[in-house]
Amino acid sequence: MSGTHLNVACDGPTARRATGRKPGVNCQTLIKSDNPQRKLGVFAFMVCGKIPYSSTHRLDLSPRINAIWLDKGEWELLKKEGISDKLNSIFTDVWQRRIRESLAHNQFDTLYSTEFGQEDYEKVKSIRAWLLQHPHKDKLTAFLLADNPWSALK
């Protein structure tokens, strides 16, 4: 948790339950302290949830008081990404799995592009897409993988 303010977004149902606030209130600073140990001491255990794929931000959930905590700028990021109404979903396995899969895809994309070169990588992706939809993809794949597809010998 960074920053000196921990905020809870008071528009979501989880935050409303935790704070008793009515909908329409944007954020209220619940803790203001320069001592990070004091902040952590209040919450015994925090669950972190990664938000959009393009961000390194993580939201903090305190199961003890059922509240979601936002550091400076995170509420604006949630609104910008169009997910400010999905606070409860961010901490689900499905949401976090999608983010992990997207991150892995991006890492492999970068790796392949670096290994093959961008032009060859684009070409092989195009061939792969064509091959995957082809009715004889198994035979075509065997043909491509054979050392000599025109020989009766191995």
Side-chain angles (χ1 to χ4, degrees), residues 59-125:
L59 297 185
D60 304 308
L61 169 70
S62 173
R64 181 174 168 194
I65 62 170
N66 198 25
I68 296 171
W69 300 87
L70 305 174
D71 291 329
K72 186 175 181 177
E74 289 177 337
W75 181 245
E76 289 75 19
L77 175 65
L78 291 170
K79 290 193 294 188
K80 178 182 154 205
E81 295 285 337
I83 56 174
S84 60
D85 60 339
K86 296 179 176 42
L87 290 175
N88 291 328
S89 300
I90 290 171
F91 295 94
T92 64
D93 288 339
V94 172
W95 184 284
Q96 295 301 312
R97 188 178 321 112
R98 269 190 246 143
I99 288 178
R100 285 190 305 273
E101 288 169 359
S102 176
L103 290 172
H105 175 88
N106 292 342
Q107 288 173 336
F108 279 115
D109 199 47
T110 300
L111 174 72
Y112 295 143
S113 180
T114 302
E115 284 286 318
F116 306 148
Q118 189 60 38
E119 186 178 333
D120 287 346
Y121 181 47
E122 292 301 323
K123 188 183 289 187
V124 78
K125 284 194 311 185

